[in-house]
């Protein structure tokens, strides 16, 4: 096995830490894998010593601690191979979304990436992959062709729909890091090189009108238009411009694959509302990460989500009551428009079978341990208030943090699929070596 780190070694703390610090890992051993052989050796070592195995790429979505286990970090496995004729990519376990976007762009292609360039591309795909282009092209998981995985017997397997249909079904959407260590994926790429996209900020006095307008607008836009809304009180930081610094804003984000002329017409209703900033324009697809411009500094972050069947006038009013300019909510709220191709089954069935709902409602905040009880109580009030519009399910891709329950996780799946996942897990990993589930990438 490659050089591994224990609690007394320099570099142990750095290696075990990820982006989301809400779950603090204290593994028995940390293995900074630089090859598939390192992963195989680490799994074999864990089996010989009776230890569990956890996996971490970027650490965006831990939900259970890897205390006392072998933690394999895969960030150094960052190889990308593009086949421009087949329109595919082979990506290793540590590849980040932004690196994949840039590599594909050089060949006039694009992956179904998420909003953050820093999220691990492999774990993002395996969790479902709610992407920037999702309404037009579906979930990223539906565009996975093959999976390379080291299983509990320390063997490397290449899993496809024909070689092992049950495991291929389970790995795509069924929980990252619980069937083995995925070391690489083969995925589809798409002939997309540009977007009409960007964001608009609206001040507190126009936020409610902008949200109502967006809710109505989403009912008729084409599937080639994806959009989302962020409700947030911006931090009072000196590098922020005056119109954002310390202020409540609504950030409306667009990604349209049609022409710029059509895009301008589609977003015109929002320009008429007078945004305080407007970056929506023609852009190369390589700049897609600037649309959401999500933070990259590690924090202890807590979040919750649900899928909404609709977003009518009453739903907007209820949401604003909890998270509007006057609410002083201790969290940010994001709404992502789903539907379209995201609501249809993939060509090859996957564990991500539940695809109802037209929006994802997501709330999250950075918090210190003493702030968590009050934050959770505020989450309770928000999601109880929005329950009349909820499908009763969650977006599995957005689950993270230490408070996820099995019952909550099960609502992200169709009836019977959770039981099927459990059966496949027992067959592939009968000793439950891979016991640390990660909700996001």
């Amino acid at each position: 096995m490659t050089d591994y780190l224990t609690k007394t070694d320099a570099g142990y703390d750095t290696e075990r830490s990820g982006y989301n610090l809400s779950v603090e890992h204290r593994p028995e051993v940390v293995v900074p894998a630089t090859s598939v052989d390192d992963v195989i050796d680490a799994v074999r070592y864990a089996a010989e010593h009776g230890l569990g195995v956890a996996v971490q790429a970027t650490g965006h979505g831990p939900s259970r601690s890897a205390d006392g286990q072998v933690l394999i970090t895969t960030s150094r496995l960052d190889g990308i191979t593009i086949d421009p004729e087949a329109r595919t990519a082979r990506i290793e376990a540590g590849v980040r979304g932004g690196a994949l976007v840039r590599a594909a762009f050089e060949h006039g292609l694009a992956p179904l990436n998420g909003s953050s360039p820093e999220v691990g591309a492999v774990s993002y795909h395996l969790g479902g992959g709610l992407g920037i282009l999702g309404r037009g092209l579906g979930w990223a998981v539906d565009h996975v062709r093959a999976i390379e995985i080291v299983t509990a017997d320390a063997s490397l397997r290449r899993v496809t729909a024909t070689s092992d249909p049950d495991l291929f079904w389970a790995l795509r959407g069924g929980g990252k890091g619980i069937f083995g260590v995925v070391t690489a994926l083969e995925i589809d790429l798409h002939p997309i090189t540009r977007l009409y996209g960007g964001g608009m900020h609206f001040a507190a006095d126009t936020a409610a009108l902008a949200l109502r307008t967006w809710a109505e607008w989403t009912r008729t836009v084409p599937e080639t238009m994806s959009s989302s809304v962020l409700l947030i009180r911006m931090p009072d930081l000196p590098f922020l411009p005056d119109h954002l610094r310390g202020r409540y804003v609504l950030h409306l984000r667009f990604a349209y694959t049609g022409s710029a002329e059509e895009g301008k017409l589609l977003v015109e209703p929002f320009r008429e509302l007078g945004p305080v900033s407007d970056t929506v324009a023609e852009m190369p697809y390589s700049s897609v990460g600037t649309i959401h411009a999500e933070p990259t500094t590690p924090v202890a972050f807590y979040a919750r989500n649900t899928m909404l069947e609709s977003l009518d006038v009453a739903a907007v009013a209820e949401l604003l009551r909890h998270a509007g300019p006057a609410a002083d909510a201790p969290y940010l709220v994001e709404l992502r428009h789903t539907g379209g191709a995201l609501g249809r089954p993939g060509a090859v069935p996957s564990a991500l079978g539940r695809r109802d709902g037209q929006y994802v409602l997501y709330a999250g905040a950075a918090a210190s341990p003493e702030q968590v009880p009050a934050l959770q109580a505020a989450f309770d009030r928000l999601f109880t208030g929005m329950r009349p519009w909820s499908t009763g399910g969650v977006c599995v891709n957005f689950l993270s943090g230490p408070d996820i329950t099995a019952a909550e996780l099960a609502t992200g799946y169709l009836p019977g699929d959770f039981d099927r996942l459990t059966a496949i897990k027992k067959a592939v990993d009968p000793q439950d070596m891979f016991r640390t589930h990660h909700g996001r990438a």
Side-chain angles (χ1 to χ4, degrees), residues 175-307:
K176 300 181 289 292
I178 64 171
F179 299 100
V181 184
V182 173
T183 57
L185 295 182
E186 183 182 318
I187 60 171
D188 294 322
L189 299 175
H190 306 272
I192 295 171
T193 59
R194 39 72 59 197
L195 285 175
Y196 186 74
M200 298 180 188
H201 283 100
F202 293 86
D205 58 355
T206 55
L209 178 57
L211 183 58
R212 289 194 295 269
T213 303
W214 180 76
E216 179 68 28
W217 176 86
T218 54
R219 296 182 192 129
T220 58
V221 293
E223 293 182 1
T224 44
M225 171 65 82
S226 294
S227 62
S228 64
V229 168
L230 179 71
L231 306 173
I232 186 173
R233 184 167 298 280
M234 298 294 286
D236 187 2
L237 297 173
F239 62 83
L240 291 173
D242 289 343
H243 64 273
L244 299 179
R245 182 177 176 180
R247 299 179 185 274
Y248 180 96
V249 294
L250 179 146
H251 190 208
L252 179 53
R253 293 82 66 99
F254 304 95
Y256 180 60
T257 55
S259 71
E261 292 74 18
E262 294 167 342
K264 289 176 184 177
L265 291 174
L266 282 168
V267 305
E268 183 58 30
F270 302 101
R271 290 201 163 113
E272 293 175 353
L273 300 181
V276 296
S277 75
D278 182 351
T279 65
V280 185
E282 182 81 356
M283 65 166 61
Y285 196 80
S286 55
S287 298
V288 67
T290 65
I291 295 176
H292 284 238
E294 294 175 345
T296 59
T297 304
V299 292
F301 200 79
Y302 299 81
R304 204 178 296 182
N305 80 81
T306 192
M307 303 296 295

Side-chain angles (χ1 to χ4, degrees), residues 107-164:
H107 300 277
L109 299 168
L112 281 181
N113 57 287
S115 55
S116 171
E118 296 302 308
V119 166
V122 165
S123 42
Y124 159 81
H125 275 77
L126 295 177
L130 177 56
I132 294 289
L133 304 179
R135 280 180 39 80
L137 294 173
W139 294 87
V141 75
D142 296 327
H143 298 269
V144 174
R145 293 189 173 199
I147 302 170
E148 297 171 32
I149 182 173
V150 177
T151 46
D153 58 358
S155 64
L156 176 65
R157 299 164 64 175
R158 188 174 189 272
V159 179
T160 67
T162 53
S163 71
D164 192 337

Side-chain angles (χ1 to χ4, degrees), residues 61-78:
S63 56
R64 289 177 62 185
S65 170
D67 288 0
Q69 300 182 49
V70 174
L71 176 64
I72 303 173
T73 57
T74 62
S75 60
R76 294 166 183 81
L77 301 177
D78 58 359

Side-chain angles (χ1 to χ4, degrees), residues 4-90:
Y4 60 87
L5 303 169
T6 64
K7 297 173 184 178
T8 59
D9 291 324
Y12 172 88
D13 286 337
T14 300
E15 195 68 24
R16 69 184 172 86
S17 297
Y19 170 77
N20 188 348
L21 305 178
S22 63
V23 176
E24 185 174 7
H25 301 297
R26 290 284 181 182
E28 187 72 18
V29 173
V30 183
V31 180
T34 60
S35 68
V36 173
D37 285 342
D38 289 343
V39 174
I40 292 171
D41 288 346
V43 172
R44 186 176 292 119
Y45 175 92
E48 291 171 352
H49 291 80
L51 300 173
V53 176
V55 191
Q56 180 166 279
T58 64
H60 271 70
S63 56
R64 289 177 62 185
S65 170
D67 288 0
Q69 300 182 49
V70 174
L71 176 64
I72 303 173
T73 57
T74 62
S75 60
R76 294 166 183 81
L77 301 177
D78 58 359
I80 302 173
T81 305
I82 306 293
D83 184 336
E85 293 187 4
R87 293 180 182 172
T88 62
R90 180 185 178 274

